[in-house]
Amino acid sequence: MELYEGACELKLLQTLEGHTDRVWSLVWNPATGTAETPLVFASCSGDKTVRIWEQNPSPSSSSSSHSSWNCKAVLEDTHTRTVRSCSWSPSGKLLAVASFDATTSIWENVGGDFECVSTLEGHENEVKSVSWNASGTLLATCGRDKSVWIWEAQPGNEFECVSVLQGHSQDVKMVLWHPTLDVLFSCSYDNTVKVWADDDDDWQCVQTLGEPNNGHSSTVWALSFNKTGDKMVTCSDDLTLKIWEMDSTSMQSADGYAPWRHLCTITGYHDRTIFSVHWSSEGIIASGAADDAIRFFVEDKDGLVDGPSYKLLLKEEKAHGMDINSVQWSPGEKRLLASASDDGTIKIWELASLCTGNGY
Amino acid sequence: MEETEDMFESSLNLEEIHFKEGYAEGYGHGLDQGKEEGQQVGLKVGFEAGEELGFYRGCIIVWNSVIQVDPTRFSDRVQKMIKQMDELVAKYPVMDPENESIQEVMDGLRLKFRAVCATLNVKLEYIGYPKTAQDSEF
Amino acid sequence: MAEPSQLSHLIESFVDSSRSPTQQVREMQMYLTTTDNIIRARGILLLAEVLTCLATKPLDNATLHSLIGFFTDRLADWKALRGALVGCLALMRRKSSAGVVTSTDAKAVAESFLQNLQVQSLGQHDRKLCFELLECLLEHYPNTVTPMGDELIYGICEAVDSEKDPQCLMLTFHIVEVLVQLFPDTSGPFASFAGDLFEILSCYFPIHFTHPRGEDLGIKRDDLSRALMLAFSSTPLFEPFAIPLLLEKLSSSLPSAKLDSLKYLSSCTSNYGPERMAKHARAIWLSIKDALYTSLQEPTLSFTSESLDGLVFQENEIAKEALTLLQQVIMQNNGLFLSLIVEDEDINIILNAVPSYESYNDIPLQGKLKLFAAGCILSISTKTSVACCNMIFESFFPRLMEILGLSEKNLSGDHSPKDNYLISKRLNFGALYLSVELLAACRDLIAGSTQIACKSVSTYETSYCMLHSFSNLLTKAFCSTLVTSHHDADIYFGVKGLQILATFPGDVSPVPISEFENILITFMSIITVNFKKTLLWRLTLKALMNIGSFIDRNNESEKILIYMRIVVEKIVSLVSLDDVTMPFPLKLEAISGIGTSGLNYMLHIIQGFEEAIFANLSEIYVHGNLKSAKITIWLLECYSNKLLPWIHENGVFEEVLLRFPINIWKQIESCVDFSVPEKELLDAMMTAMKHAVAFCSEESQNEIIQKAYNVLSSSTSFPLKESMALTIPFQLEGLQLTQKMDNLSCRDEWILSLFASVVIAVRPQTHIPNVKVILNLFITTLLKGHVPAAQALGSIVNKFGKSSTGSEISSDCTLEEALDIIFQLKLWTHQDNGALLRCSVTGSEMGHTDLCQAVVNNKLPQILAITGLSWIGKGLLLRGHDKVKDVTMIFLECLLSNGNALPLSQHSLENSCEQDLHASVMKSAADAFRILMSDSEVCLNRKFHAIIRPLYKQRFFSTMMPILRPLIMKSDSLLSRSMLYGAFAHIISETPLVAVLGEAKKLIPILLDCLFMLNKDAQDKDILYSLLLVLSGILTDKDGQEAVVDNAHLVINCLTGLIAYPHMMLVRETAIQCLVAMSELPHARIYPMRIQVLQAISKALDDSRRAVRQEAVRCRQAWASIASRSLHF
Amino acid sequence: MVSELINANPIVYEKKERRARSAPIAVEEYAVEPIDQQEVFDHVRDIKDPEHPYSLEELKVITEDAIEVDDQQSYVRITFTPTVEHCSMATIIGLCLRVKLLRSLPSRYKVDIRVAPGSHASESAVNKQLNDKERVAAALENPNLVDMVDECLAPSYD
């Protein structure tokens, strides 16, 4: 059943404190949230640490609103500067951590506690984002040195540099692998999103989504794919969200790469930089911005007359005391959202629909 | 008639003559100076390029000799990258400074070199390497 | 041989030994003659030192001769020079009584000195000795050395040349000074050397003192400068060299050089004499002018009443010196200089420029400066002498009058048409200013000359005649400006002009009495009418005051009479009821101003004042006219704050001081239906009474208090029979009393309050009649909540039985008895209504319900009793009496008494109100400590002759703390705990910081708890603040910080808590400042707290008040610097 | 670091003397004094220029009316004017401004900092960089920069 405006509310379940500086980003462990494994996510901060948070399984009732969260582990004394982002391997066993100290560390979950099993060096300075591909064989990093690096996991936590991609003209803010294909997306201070694909071990920029093709007019901070991976949303300093669509029809013969085209632009909602956007498995786009607000968008099925459009589902003013740096939907069936902010806190929200049953 | 013109010509064109002389003089002087400076610059740039190129060449030779001793020591990918570097070095138009491919080749080399180092986890760095990040930048 | 250290001992032994120096010499023979330089040097020095010590021991000529002979030729022995010099000095300086060196020997010394010593090649100390020796020779043996003539002078020149050391320089300058006096004649040997010698001196001018501050030579730049100046001006022979040099330096840009040059020039002028100076006259004049112009910046012309009698350029050194020099030179050669001035172009230019600018603001800055410079020059030269005065007047006065439009022809015949013309015309500022300057100068001259009793300025002097002829017009002119002009400058000088005209000394005043009257009249009309023009009004008042004090000083009886008639009378009449046009405060300002400008006036005014007060009073209680109440209050305040103190300072006028209180009493006595409800008025009256009484002598006080007592006993409802003096019957009386007291009539209250005031203000020696009764009266009344009674009690016990000599004076009751009475009352109160003694004796165990009821009903008197008791306690505390302990104990018991113990659970309503009452009792007990510790304005202070033992606060503090601390620790009831904290807070916040610092380590934890507790209730904000100030005092002190270190975390917790204190901005601000102070503690200690602090501060950054935010920013900076570089939190 | 001065001899302007605030006593205890233009100006006026011994105020890099404050919206915008067009110090100055305000303003505030339109060669680039909080954050972990900034923010001599 469809979600429609006013049909749902955002409930704050808990505010997590612990970081002593702004929280840059958080990421859910994809392998959790099932019946036997409680939800887990990692958050990283300007205090140079990563914190692992776990949901207390609440025996009383299934509703997560009663269950509380606490900090399982603190990953510290490895990075000497801000930890900017991290990424779980699909298995949920490994956590890759990118730091301003120019290194990327790999942590392995050994029976609950985490140990640093490898450190990737190569970037000249701040590493700003890291991402595992769907199969967990490839790891991508990017940073201020304008380069994107692709690493291949070797047995024994060895990592081999597959390729160093130069193409962006400014520092690269985020890298993200396509949910199914081995195609890498990077977005940058140079206002573009670049798409990288390889033909046998030789990685090339196969597409650049910039202003000419309805791209963003300022720094692109983040991007996210819908469940199936045929749509992508990007957010930017230009205060807009843009929806992109994989154009399977004009499939480029050779490497079976399908180009992306601009579908629509969600504009006029945010009045400061949008730092984070995340597309839920059920199609709700959450965005977090420097205006301290969290917003939710869903596709507007009625307005198909002139192409697909997206409408504001819900808006949470003053969700945090300061900028919101990251919003992430949890795995599992509950509509849980975690948000991280400059105010040093992480908040766990539940998007509850007022009407009976939940979408899909 | 002509004679009269003749006899005055020199005095009439006096300015022009002086201008020409001055110009020629200056031009010649500039030419020498320019050559001089150009040579200096050339020497400097050439030396730098050569030095960096040599550095990479050295690394490649060492790595290759390792591979000869133990072909399994490096992964195929690394070996491939070393090979690519080798080609790039060879490809570098040492004798043809005018060639516009110079920068491209050098960048490629640097990139590959860093990739190899990263993979081998060795902290090798060419000292003269132009760092992009100066202290007062961010 | 003796080490220098032992030398002194040796000397002692030598001196002690009665042996004659000859013997010593003989004994020391080998030391004095050995070839070992060191030993010889020490030997000789030893002998010399010995002789110095023996300065007073008589020596026969032979010995002296041989000794001086020895030292004289030792002068050649430069390895042993020190000893030789000291020796010579010792001998040369001997007093004639003990035998002195003969002139022949002195000559020998001088010769030896001149031929043997290369002074400048010696060390600083030796040089100093040399110069002392020279000085000594020149001063003690002038006749001996003078004949040496050239040789001597040359030698000295050589010796002093290029000396650098300040101490030596002082000597050399003096030497030169003395030397030149030996050769006065201008043709003598000295003349030839004058040039060289001056050259040596000249290089030191102007003194440039480069000596490092570090070593203090006890010599300042000024000393050197003065010494050099004396040397410069020591002989006219220097004139050809000195004057040009000085003039040159005068033109330098260096202020100090200018200043010195001017000073030197003055001194030289007087010493070189007129004929030598004459040729420099023009140059000097020019440079003086120059100095004046350049030194005058934008004149700080504040046209205020303060500056009315002050000069304009007071602060400008150079200008001052220049003018003194000018006066100097004019005095020396007035003909010459005056002609210079009179003919001077600049001055004439300035004068010619005057007409072109009408008002002050039109004149450009340069113009103003020149104008004022001219003003100064003219006034100085006028002041110099009568002759000058005349000359200046002749040459300038008419012109000025011309410009002012007061031309000669106006003088002839009637002015009536002219008057109008005058009034209408606006005076030219420049002319106004200059003529006022001239008038002032002339006035000063005359006044000065009359003071030295020579009537040099007689009525036929030109200046005098001019003034005389113009005085009338001038008066009119000035008066007219005052009314017409709106320019501050004009008004200022108008008033000043009139003031000057009015202050010519009577007998030789060119201003006829009639004008004097006119002036006063004009001023008075301004005072009474133009009070809206503030400046004019103030200036006028000031002028009137100056005139008043002037004629009072020179007791010009005639004018004083006029002044009395026109000014004082009028002023007094101002405060009479009818007139309401003029704002009353202004009236008071005027009246007190005039009053304080002369005794006669004051006495007169006081009289009028009192009449006014009484008139108003009766106005109130007869006609119930309440608007007079405000006026009366004003009058009373003015009376006690302005008039009384002045009277007191200027010789006590017993009768005056005495009159007021007595009259008050009389009046109250006289009218039976006296009823003035105004509380405020009563307070004012009490204050006045206290001050009046306090200033009185013992006798008058006795008189007053007797009178007061009579009124009290005769005409009140208070039954004051002797019989009551005993306690037991008093109980009954007391009970009746209490009934009566409930409806205390207004009159009785006045009488009681005023009586209390008298008691509060009297001296310890003053005898209070029938003390016991008074005590009882006060006690009972205080139980009805009459605070003055309590304060009076406090004063009584404070001053009791202390005569000026400190011995007990016989009174009908001793202190102990008095105290007994007081504390018996407690007993009595107890039986009457339970509570108090229960508190004071056996904590709280009031078993019976009915008793509790009684307690409930009688809580109020209990509170009042506590308040009263606290004033009594204060009295005791100040004089350092032990009984204060008992008092404080009672308070403490109250604080500890636990209201919950009352078994009234059945009817909870009463219980609850009982609770409140109980709480308020405890509150009052806590507040009692504030009364004990804090200084009071209304009683028990020095003004009211309280006996105050030094350091009593510290003492009380250190006795109370050991008692309080354990009590607080183990107190379990929250209520009494909080009350104890209150008491603690009051004590500690009134104790001098030094005392607290000593205890800081112990106090900090409890102090923090206290702050935490006070933090809860908004009502405690003031005490919270003062307590926080104590904490910040500790934190900003070095030792204090050490005391805090161990509790750093507690302090920070407390402070971070207070940052959010909602009720008082100052608290938040101070708390943050304290945190800044905390950031200076050892970082190891505070580092763990930094996050906590920074978080708290980041909230303070969003405080509603700016001041707090600013402190927060500072604090954040301080802590961020020790914290990590993180920008957040 | 730049070896030689970008602008060797800048024009130095008079300091605007501090307007006296009404004494806190005058204000009612619970009165609210909103953050205003002058207050923000007072925060930044004494920041020293990275390469001159003068304050930004003295160099007219900052003026009071170049500061927009909206206490309701918790918003501040500062527009500063580099001494010369190609001033490479512009970013440093901007950084100093940002840091000073981060340390002085309540956390609820949003701050925008920009160079005055037309006052700098690479205006938009500078503005973009100054308002990219990630790069600012990174900059403030760079010891050299932090020292430079603290130098400029050090309490001034007068």
Side-chain angles (χ1 to χ4, degrees), chain B residues 11-30:
Chain B
S11 61
L12 283 170
N13 309 356
L14 200 55
E15 291 173 346
E16 197 183 337
I17 294 160
H18 281 284
F19 175 82
K20 285 207 175 99
E21 283 176 358
Y23 178 84
E25 208 169 295
Y27 184 83
H29 191 68

Side-chain angles (χ1 to χ4, degrees), chain C residues 319-362:
Chain C
K320 263 205 332 244
E321 280 305 328
L323 291 173
T324 29
L325 174 57
L326 180 59
Q327 189 155 25
Q328 179 72 271
V329 289
I330 295 176
M331 241 186 284
Q332 186 176 60
N333 188 341
N334 51 41
L336 176 50
F337 272 93
L338 285 177
S339 56
L340 281 174
I341 295 170
V342 172
E343 288 141 25
D344 185 83
E345 288 177 1
D346 297 355
I347 291 194
N348 287 296
I349 293 171
I350 294 168
L351 272 171
N352 299 336
V354 161
S356 44
Y357 306 109
E358 262 311 300
S359 84
Y360 178 68
N361 304 339
D362 306 348

Side-chain angles (χ1 to χ4, degrees), chain D residues 77-82 85 114-121 123-124 127:
Chain D
R77 181 164 76 171
I78 293 192
T79 308
F80 69 100
T81 315
E85 274 239 318
R114 58 166 194 177
V115 296
S119 71
H120 197 275
E123 183 180 321
S124 56
N127 291 343

Side-chain angles (χ1 to χ4, degrees), chain C residues 23-92:
Chain C
Q23 285 169 290
Q24 289 161 17
V25 173
R26 218 172 286 112
E27 286 169 15
M28 297 174 63
Q29 196 55 269
M30 55 165 297
Y31 296 131
L32 299 179
T33 53
T34 172
T35 52
D36 179 324
N37 295 331
I38 299 165
I39 294 179
R40 190 171 70 259
R42 288 176 178 167
I44 296 172
L45 181 55
L46 174 55
L47 180 59
E49 296 286 355
V50 172
L51 291 169
T52 324
C53 299
L54 297 179
T56 53
K57 186 182 179 115
L59 293 178
D60 57 280
N61 294 345
T63 322
L64 272 174
H65 177 72
S66 54
L67 282 169
I68 193 69
F70 170 71
F71 285 117
T72 309
D73 69 34
R74 283 297 92 199
L75 284 175
D77 173 0
W78 68 269
K79 293 201 178 55
L81 188 59
R82 171 75 55 93
L85 287 168
V86 175
C88 290
L89 266 173
L91 295 168
M92 305 284 285

Side-chain angles (χ1 to χ4, degrees), chain C residues 777-792:
Chain C
L777 171 63
F778 282 149
I779 290 162
T780 36
T781 44
L782 85 78
L783 281 174
K784 294 292 165 219
H786 195 265
V787 177
Q791 295 168 338

